[in-house]
Amino acid sequence: MSFSCSCFPPRNRSHRTAPMPERPKECIITWHRITERPMRRVICGGIQDAPGRENDLKLIKLARFAVAEYKKKTVLRSTPFFFASSWMLKFERLVKVRHQLVSGMLYFFTVKVKEGCTKKLYEATVWEQSWTNFKQLSSFRPVATETTTTA
């Protein structure tokens, strides 16, 4: 079997003809040793979606940590604290999870938060190193909502 792409080495086995898969930019395609078929390997360091991990208890705990750290930082910065609206933030649920492999794991959360009587979406970034028991809130900002106008 021969491919025109230079990333595929030529193979002599004519009985294994597999269609050439599309090559996304974030993947490297290599050959599996046993099956001799192309397989995808994700490049380390890329941000990846983690569907279905919204109900993972470890990640929910990290998202709660992000909300608590944000409340702690903003209340300490504002004087007097009753003017800060962030002290009313309450974690509702984890909406979306993405992660990136760094020295540890960098999690990108989309969190639904109850602020007073309204519910808002925030994006939080938490850096965790589980072997050193280290976690740090890198950013916490509201999601930009698009307003649609009807004529």
Side-chain angles (χ1 to χ4, degrees), residues 47-56 59 94-99 107-109:
I47 299 173
Q48 302 172 359
D49 287 329
R53 302 239 4 229
E54 293 86 11
N55 298 325
D56 188 355
L59 297 183
L94 192 54
V95 178
K96 184 178 177 183
V97 178
R98 295 181 306 149
H99 58 84
Y107 291 103
F108 301 92
F109 297 126

Side-chain angles (χ1 to χ4, degrees), residues 73-86:
K73 285 181 181 180
T74 54
V75 167
L76 290 176
R77 272 190 273 152
S78 61
T79 6
F81 77 93
F82 53 84
F83 287 119
S85 64
S86 65

Side-chain angles (χ1 to χ4, degrees), residues 135-148:
K135 53 188 169 185
Q136 177 185 3
L137 177 66
S138 300
S139 71
F140 194 90
R141 62 183 187 274
V143 174
T145 57
E146 296 179 12
T147 57
T148 57

Side-chain angles (χ1 to χ4, degrees), residues 15-77:
H15 66 281
R16 294 189 191 254
T17 56
M20 187 168 134
E22 293 182 20
R23 182 178 181 184
K25 291 181 181 177
E26 67 271 1
C27 293
I28 297 174
I29 299 178
T30 58
W31 287 92
H32 193 272
R33 289 184 207 171
I34 298 170
T35 61
E36 295 185 2
R37 291 188 181 191
M39 67 179 197
R40 293 182 182 155
R41 291 190 179 175
V42 179
I43 296 175
C44 292
I47 299 173
Q48 302 172 359
D49 287 329
R53 302 239 4 229
E54 293 86 11
N55 298 325
D56 188 355
L57 293 178
K58 176 189 169 191
L59 297 183
I60 290 173
K61 190 175 179 181
L62 276 175
R64 287 183 188 274
F65 165 79
V67 173
E69 280 293 305
Y70 178 70
K71 284 170 62 172
K72 192 187 311 180
K73 285 181 181 180
T74 54
V75 167
L76 290 176
R77 272 190 273 152

